[in-house]
Amino acid sequence: PDVRIDVVTIFPEYLAALDLSLVGKARQRGLLDLRVHDLRDWTTDRHRTVDDTPFGGGAGMVMRPDVWGRALDEVLGAGATLILPTPSGEVFTQRHADELATAEHLVFACGRYEGIDARVAEHYRATGLDVRELSIGDYVLNGGEVAALVMIEAVGRLVPGMVGNPESLVEESHGAAGLLEYPVYTKPPRWQEIDVPDLLLSGHHARIDRWRRDEALRRTAGRRPEMIAALDGTALDKHDVAL
Ligand SMILES: COC(=O)COc1cccc(COC(=O)c2cn[nH]c2)c1
């Protein structure tokens, strides 16, 4: 298979969604080797304890380093990338998805409670492993499982052979030189008294392309002005500047 993905979590059933659709088919076709592991399989006590109280006090519980260490020592391989979904991580973007899609082995460690003992990331970094603490956005979830699903879908769909039509990968929603997607329409031409813009029915493909670019620019300037600022000089042509 092109990519191997392991997920370690105390809620393995959360990842059952990965048996469906694209990712599910790719697994059946052997394109993707995805395995989900229950962290509690590496506990040593009768209660299968994975957490304990935080040093320094404070509310909540912290996930124990020894349990995670036994699990990750078994799941990780030399060439693996360890990904820790966390609110305090670097924000995951399409750039990360593009990069991680070329990795040979991704291991997601899903934290719960107040987090995983910080020495886990520190230890595996010290061994030279590529360790990424990644956030999927500025909000707090109860655990890393949903974030792992997001990242696995974003990466999985880029794995060659995963998506039915590779064409659909080209003009991505953050494609078109880092702009938001233009509005899309389909039949019927009139719905709830609203008409599809006439130009789109005209067949003038050059004008349609220009209209789409203008709409993408307008939307980006309105909703994500910081993305306009981030465009490099080549992204805008003289017509855009006039907008
Ligand atoms: C070193 O990593 C850790 O300690 C991870 O610990 C936790 C603790 C609570 C929740 C989560 C899940 O991630 C998010 O909530 C999250 C990710 N993106 N946006 C929100 C992870």
Side-chain angles (χ1 to χ4, degrees), residues 8-9 50 68 95 100 109 120 152 192 227-228 233-234 241:
V8 184
T9 165
V50 296
W68 272 108
R95 187 178 50 77
L100 294 174
V120 173
I152 290 169
Q192 300 290 23
M227 284 176 75
I228 296 283
T234 59
V241 174

Side-chain angles (χ1 to χ4, degrees), residues 84-87 111-116 133-137 139-144 147:
L84 295 145
T86 172
R112 286 254 147 191
Y113 313 110
E114 299 315 305
I116 301 172
E133 294 185 51
L134 296 176
S135 163
I136 59 166
Y139 36 78
V140 181
L141 305 169
N142 288 325

